Amino acid sequence: MMFFAIIMMYSEINGTTFTNHYNRRSLPVKLSQVTQPWTKLNNAKILIVDPQQVEVTTYYAGYLANYYFFTNNASGQAHFSKSPQRFRKSLRQYEYVVIPKYDRSFTRGVKRAYHQRIRTGFYRVTRDQLRPVTRHEIQRYR
């Protein structure tokens, strides 16, 4: 009996290790590296920038954002306009932009439209720039 218990425990440990290793680049893990989940119901408009089209097409990114940020106004997007004016116009629809994974096309768009260099992070959309969100701002929603 002890032999089977040891085999089962060893199997569970290996399975957990494999799952943790396999999922380390998944969207929820990357999102948790950028910001903390919100726990107060709100109506903040949030955009998740996701370079993987399949996560946007299947509404996974938006679905995840709705629960992570406790809002019903979150969505995911993978492709953006190359025109700086249209790029800014599309971002002005949102209050916040979350970039959990580096997206080359979005980074280029921000460089052209806002003259900023960004990679990943959590930003508030203003008229002239994407401003990093402070801990104080996040506390409103926690």
Side-chain angles (χ1 to χ4, degrees):
M1 187 67 151
M2 185 66 138
F3 178 71
F4 290 114
I6 291 171
I7 289 175
M8 294 300 286
M9 187 173 67
Y10 186 69
S11 173
E12 187 68 27
I13 290 170
N14 282 339
T16 303
T17 303
F18 172 78
T19 302
N20 289 341
H21 179 73
Y22 182 74
N23 289 330
R24 69 179 181 217
R25 291 186 190 100
S26 67
L27 189 58
V29 172
K30 291 292 187 181
L31 195 57
S32 68
Q33 292 170 353
V34 172
T35 187
Q36 299 172 344
W38 293 0
T39 56
K40 290 183 183 172
L41 183 61
N42 64 81
N43 288 321
K45 294 180 180 177
I46 300 173
L47 172 67
I48 288 196
V49 177
D50 191 352
Q52 294 183 347
Q53 179 66 37
V54 69
E55 290 179 350
V56 174
T57 306
T58 61
Y59 300 105
Y60 176 68
Y63 179 80
L64 176 66
N66 282 332
Y67 285 96
Y68 197 84
F69 295 108
F70 210 30
T71 182
N72 60 349
N73 295 321
S75 60
Q77 191 170 340
H79 296 291
F80 297 89
S81 175
K82 294 186 182 198
S83 161
Q85 292 80 17
R86 282 186 288 207
F87 185 85
R88 278 182 174 218
K89 186 177 179 182
S90 69
L91 286 188
R92 279 192 207 129
Q93 298 174 30
Y94 301 96
E95 296 174 57
Y96 298 98
V97 174
V98 184
I99 312 162
K101 299 178 186 177
Y102 173 70
D103 185 353
R104 190 174 181 186
S105 66
F106 185 79
T107 301
R108 285 182 181 166
V110 170
K111 179 86 169 128
R112 283 189 210 115
Y114 293 100
H115 308 289
Q116 285 180 267
R117 290 179 186 241
I118 62 169
R119 288 189 68 83
T120 60
F122 188 31
Y123 300 91
R124 183 163 185 83
V125 178
T126 65
R127 187 171 166 237
D128 301 324
Q129 67 178 346
L130 296 181
R131 187 176 46 79
V133 175
T134 63
R135 287 181 187 256
H136 179 61
E137 284 180 88
I138 293 174
Q139 291 303 322
R140 279 187 3 199
Y141 300 108
R142 296 207 77 219

